[in-house]
Amino acid sequence: MSGKMNIEECAEMLAEKLPDGRRIYANHINIYGEVLLHVLVGDMIDRPLVELLRSEQEPDLIKIYCDAVEEMWIKGDDNVVNVVEVTILEYITDDDEVWQRFGRYISRNFRYYINNEFIPDNLHYINVESLKE
């Protein structure tokens, strides 16, 4: 046992911390019968966070979402970190302005990791601009 947060624990954490998380989680389980974290974060994080970042009207709410993503990255096992990288970050990088706004709401450590390890190590992100300070 790694002591890291697994997929089910991550789903519970997100359900607790995010707006409407309990309802979205219950609906997900009702439809799929299990936690499919890549799918769940699409409903629970990707779409709402991108919409919030586009308008930037609710910075406190944006911070809640970004903190949840960062908690997944810090505390998650390899499967959870994969969801952060493959599902969440990929979705956010689709819009350069949203991507740069996201960078303003995350920690220096997370930004450093994205800029110096994640982007350079993934050919898929070769055209993604580094996050600014």
Side-chain angles (χ1 to χ4, degrees), residues 69-70 73 84 102 106-114:
V69 172
E70 195 158 345
W73 172 69
V84 171
F102 171 73
I106 61 175
S107 73
R108 181 176 301 243
N109 287 342
F110 194 24
R111 202 168 35 252
Y112 179 89
Y113 167 77
I114 289 169

Side-chain angles (χ1 to χ4, degrees), residues 12 33 85 91 127:
E12 283 291 330
E85 295 177 349
Y91 192 79
N127 294 320

